[in-house]
Amino acid sequence: MTPVELFSEPFMQRALLAALFTGLAAPVIGTYLVQRRLALMGDGLGHVAVTGVAVGLLTGYSPTWTAVVVAILGAIAIEVVRERGNTNGDVALALLFYGGLAGGVLLTGLGGRRAAELQQYLFGSITTISDGDVVVTLVLAALVVVVGVGLSPQLFAVAQDPEFARVAGLRVRFYNLVVAVLAAVTVTVAMRTVGLLLVSALMVVPVATSQQLTRSFRATLVAAMVLGTLASVGGLVISAFASYQATVAPGPTIVLLSLAGFVVTWPVGVWLRHRARLRRPFADEAPDEHTVSDHDHDHGPGCGHVAVPHDDHVDYVHDGHRHAPHGTHYDEH
Amino acid sequence: MPVIEVRDGAVALSGRPVLRGIDLRVERGEFVALMGANGSGKSTLVRALTGLRPLSRGGITLFGTPLEDFHEWHRIGFVPQRSGAASGVPASVREVVSSGRLTRRRLLRPLGAADRRAIDDAIELVGLGARARDGVSTLSGGQQQRVLIARALAGDPELFFLDEPTAGVDLPNQKVLTDALAALKERGASIVLVAHELGPLATLVERAVVMRDGRVAYDGPPIPDHVVHEPWLGEAHGHHHHARHESSYARDHAPHVRSPLEGRP
Ligand SMILES: Nc1ncnc2c1ncn2[C@@H]1O[C@H](COP(=O)(O)OP(=O)(O)OP(=O)(O)O)[C@@H](O)[C@H]1O
Ligand SMILES: [Mg+2]
Ligand SMILES: [Zn+2]
Ligand SMILES: [Zn+2]
Ligand SMILES: [Zn+2]
Ligand SMILES: [Zn+2]
């Protein structure tokens, strides 16, 4: 089969659509989770959703829907534990996570299903996605994007400073629940793409990557959505081409591509932050003393020295001190 | 009609009584300084007044409405005690200040021209105009505190709660904040300010309320910062002691030097 034929296959087009929407939606909610320092919540919900899938396999209902329901229940439970401000909150979360995974595997066995069937939910199987599943994925992903972006001023304020948000009249508990429920929905949306065990990566890694380069929340959110989409669609395409040579699963490829993006961006982020610190304007007032030393060139744009705005003039940093132009020479301060 | 009225207010935290027998009225346009030792309950009182801590007894009304039914949050401005403005994702100064405008914005509507102006003015006022697009986590502690002040100013409140807004803020910027609060007061806003040292704000304060062990120990004209910790302040028969010390205060400043440690239980 040539690549052209491969990409015109209906199963591949369904997979591309699902990857596109998942990659767009997952980082939206990931941004809010990272902002709340709950980066692993997606992972926890993924584990809880395993039980949901198993319930579906056992009862004959669609595993997608049972996973949504169980993940939402798990998300609400996590939110309740969090709101109590319990110091053992993370331990309680851990119990929920492992309970979810173990329960899922146990239930699958009880139902006489083979582990392989659960496997496609654990690690994704985007190429076997059905028409119905694509529609569900698109609708849920669109819901996550619309709510997550539309309510961004409120969700940002609530996560940034819950007490201030409450005094500003925002219903903090409601917005926290919205984020928890959207996280649960995202997990089940991404379940078919990258699998429940890797879902958190698609939510969190694009955010970690984009915040290397951004200074504002909005920019982080938008860049994470772009990066998530690139990784998701790119990973699928790479695995499709690679499958001519060997068995390459799309889920892990997507996650590894996303991680590769982070690895490439991280040094850039370190350099940008370093540069920002160097070029931060000096806050103290310019001293009046007049100390002069020799300079072998006139400082100016592109002279190779870091230029820093300082009050009414520009300092050039060199050999551990600042040169300020003064008439025909440079003062040191 | 008072803007704040507390009757026999009490607050318990984790079952432990923290505030007791609070009676307080603040009139429109008043500038009240809330003072007292660490742990005396100042922040708890501010939190109770802003609805963050439920009362275990008594009642609070804001603008004549019982707190439970109060929904006009755009009339309230709040600067929490130093909480830092950083979080897990970068946020620019402008974004943090913009969240102070949410009290006046409708859901799913973009920022209007008036909102933008209010946000820009608030940032300009605290002297961070040049840093508006920078991440808050790259600012110093005092600059972050100024961001939180700007956030509250952006909502154009009528009743302002500031919990130690000037802690860590340098003198020139305290003066700037003083001017900003003076302008608010000019427009008829009421201000409740928690502070250990009033600094330049002292010129605005019309009334001091001193907390001790969860009770109001003194409520009256402004008093110097160090007198707040005098042991006689708020004792039973406090008026006699007060009178005596007031006169000794006028004659001899020296005894007060040792006072800050004695004020503690
Ligand atoms: N969450 C809490 N649970 C139990 N007790 C608390 C809690 N928060 C505060 N307290 C107690 O309530 C009392 C009053 O605290 P509060 O923070 O109101 O003091 P404060 O006057 O603002 O002090 P500071 O000058 O240090 O800000 C303290 O004794 C403190 O130990
Ligand atoms: Mg306090
Ligand atoms: Zn040079
Ligand atoms: Zn200079
Ligand atoms: Zn030099
Ligand atoms: Zn010179």
Side-chain angles (χ1 to χ4, degrees):
Chain A
M1 207 191 295
T2 67
V4 178
E5 282 166 6
L6 177 63
F7 283 100
S8 51
E9 285 285 325
F11 83 88
M12 199 60 202
Q13 294 183 341
R14 284 197 295 270
L16 281 171
L17 262 183
L20 178 72
F21 273 70
T22 314
L24 200 61
V28 174
I29 221 63
T31 307
Y32 295 110
L33 294 184
V34 173
Q35 194 194 8
R36 286 152 202 253
R37 302 187 195 282
L38 283 176
L40 291 180
M41 179 156 164
D43 201 31
L45 289 176
H47 285 64
V48 172
V50 174
T51 296
V53 169
V55 169
L57 292 177
L58 194 64
T59 56
Y61 290 108
S62 156
T64 306
W65 290 114
T66 51
V68 170
V69 171
V70 173
I72 287 179
L73 291 178
I76 293 173
I78 292 172
E79 203 41 56
V80 168
V81 169
R82 221 170 69 82
E83 202 187 61
R84 289 284 152 91
N86 203 319
T87 42
N88 289 328
D90 54 341
V91 177
L93 295 191
L95 297 180
L96 204 60
F97 299 171
Y98 303 128
L101 184 57
V105 175
L106 194 75
L107 282 180
T108 316
L110 273 185
R113 299 301 194 118
R114 291 209 335 257
E117 218 165 335
L118 191 58
Q119 183 101 355
Q120 58 171 306
Y121 293 95
L122 292 183
F123 297 104
S125 65
I126 194 170
T127 47
T128 65
I129 197 164
S130 69
D131 274 336
D133 279 344
V134 171
V135 172
V136 171
T137 301
L138 298 199
V139 169
L140 290 182
L143 174 83
V144 169
V145 171
V146 167
V147 177
V149 174
L151 292 181
S152 64
Q154 284 78 15
L155 294 176
F156 167 80
V158 165
Q160 181 77 19
D161 187 341
E163 298 211 317
F164 177 83
R166 249 178 86 180
V167 177
L170 298 179
R171 286 171 299 158
V172 171
R173 177 184 283 176
F174 168 77
Y175 287 112
N176 281 339
L177 266 182
V178 167
V179 169
V181 169
L182 287 185
V185 169
T186 307
V187 163
T188 33
V189 164
M191 168 171 86
R192 297 303 302 262
T193 320
V194 290
L196 289 172
L197 296 187
L198 291 175
V199 78
S200 192
L202 197 52
M203 297 166 81
V204 169
V205 177
V207 182
T209 307
S210 77
Q211 59 171 269
Q212 297 303 315
L213 309 176
T214 54
R215 287 184 301 178
S216 75
F217 185 82
R218 179 163 278 272
T220 308
L221 179 67
V222 171
M225 289 168 72
V226 172
L227 289 169
T229 310
L230 287 179
S232 179
V233 175
L236 178 63
V237 171
I238 288 175
S239 75
F241 277 107
S243 61
Y244 286 109
Q245 316 292 334
T247 319
V248 178
T253 313
I254 291 171
V255 171
L256 286 175
L257 183 62
S258 189
L259 280 170
F262 177 78
V263 170
V264 170
T265 321
W266 187 60
V268 179
V270 170
W271 178 74
L272 277 179
R273 284 189 290 274
H274 177 71
R275 203 185 61 148
R277 266 196 300 277
L278 278 184
R279 289 170 194 248
R280 167 124 1 114
F282 293 114
D284 51 341
E285 272 162 43
D288 343 308
E289 78 254 34
H290 176 96
T291 38
V292 188
S293 67
D294 288 335
H295 293 92
D296 52 10
H297 69 281
D298 290 337
H299 295 301
C303 77
H305 294 120
V306 176
V308 182
H310 183 202
D311 274 4
D312 55 348
H313 60 276
V314 174
D315 286 350
Y316 292 88
V317 179
H318 176 47
D319 290 339
H321 50 239
R322 288 140 57 171
H323 311 247
H326 185 212
T328 56
H329 60 276
Y330 290 95
D331 287 352
E332 310 286 357
H333 57 258
Chain B
M1 181 185 70
V3 289
I4 302 175
E5 184 160 32
V6 187
R7 283 218 189 101
D8 189 29
V11 172
L13 297 176
S14 340
R16 209 166 70 92
V18 171
L19 296 184
R20 292 154 293 165
I22 306 286
D23 286 295
L24 188 69
R25 274 171 75 101
V26 176
E27 301 295 335
R28 188 179 135 82
E30 250 188 319
F31 194 119
V32 179
L34 195 54
M35 307 176 85
N38 290 137
S40 56
K42 306 179 298 292
S43 296
T44 308
L45 179 55
V46 168
R47 285 154 174 278
L49 292 172
T50 48
L52 290 170
R53 292 269 180 266
L55 289 188
S56 54
R57 228 184 112 100
I60 295 177
T61 60
L62 294 181
F63 297 100
T65 312
L67 194 56
E68 309 81 70
D69 306 325
F70 184 78
H71 295 296
E72 299 170 310
W73 293 106
H74 60 91
R75 301 175 83 173
I76 308 287
F78 176 47
V79 180
Q81 187 165 14
R82 171 68 65 83
S83 53
S87 76
V89 169
S92 69
V93 169
R94 200 157 197 289
E95 285 174 319
V96 173
V97 174
S98 300
S99 50
R101 197 64 192 172
L102 283 175
T103 52
R104 292 184 183 271
R105 281 175 65 187
R106 307 266 295 280
L107 270 184
L108 300 175
R109 293 283 176 78
L111 281 172
D115 297 324
R116 283 171 204 282
R117 206 171 329 108
I119 291 164
D120 289 337
D121 287 351
I123 295 174
E124 212 50 62
L125 195 70
V126 298
L128 289 174
R131 310 286 312 256
R133 298 162 65 87
D134 287 355
V136 274
S137 58
T138 67
L139 302 187
S140 75
Q143 288 169 332
Q144 292 192 13
Q145 185 68 27
R146 279 148 61 191
V147 173
L148 299 188
I149 294 169
R151 180 177 65 177
L153 287 169
D156 241 331
E158 287 170 56
L159 172 57
F160 221 128
F161 295 100
L162 304 105
D163 198 345
E164 304 200 23
T166 52
V169 172
D170 57 27
L171 198 58
N173 280 299
Q174 288 190 29
K175 292 198 175 116
V176 170
L177 174 66
T178 305
D179 294 341
L181 292 181
L184 274 179
K185 197 178 145 186
E186 203 66 23
R187 276 190 272 153
S190 324
I191 292 153
V192 174
L193 171 104
V194 177
H196 288 286
E197 275 159 30
L198 290 172
L201 289 165
T203 51
L204 296 177
V205 173
E206 300 166 322
R207 174 178 162 198
V209 172
V210 179
M211 303 286 297
R212 176 167 301 155
D213 288 336
R215 292 175 183 281
V216 174
Y218 170 89
D219 187 348
I223 48 177
D225 290 348
H226 58 275
V227 179
V228 166
H229 299 290
E230 290 288 354
W232 47 262
L233 196 68
E235 265 176 12
H237 313 296
H239 286 299
H240 303 289
H241 294 276
H242 192 178
R244 185 161 53 80
H245 276 261
E246 195 97 276
S247 51
S248 79
Y249 173 68
R251 258 187 282 112
D252 178 17
H253 197 94
H256 301 279
V257 175
R258 55 162 217 272
S259 61
L261 283 176
E262 290 182 352
R264 312 282 162 77

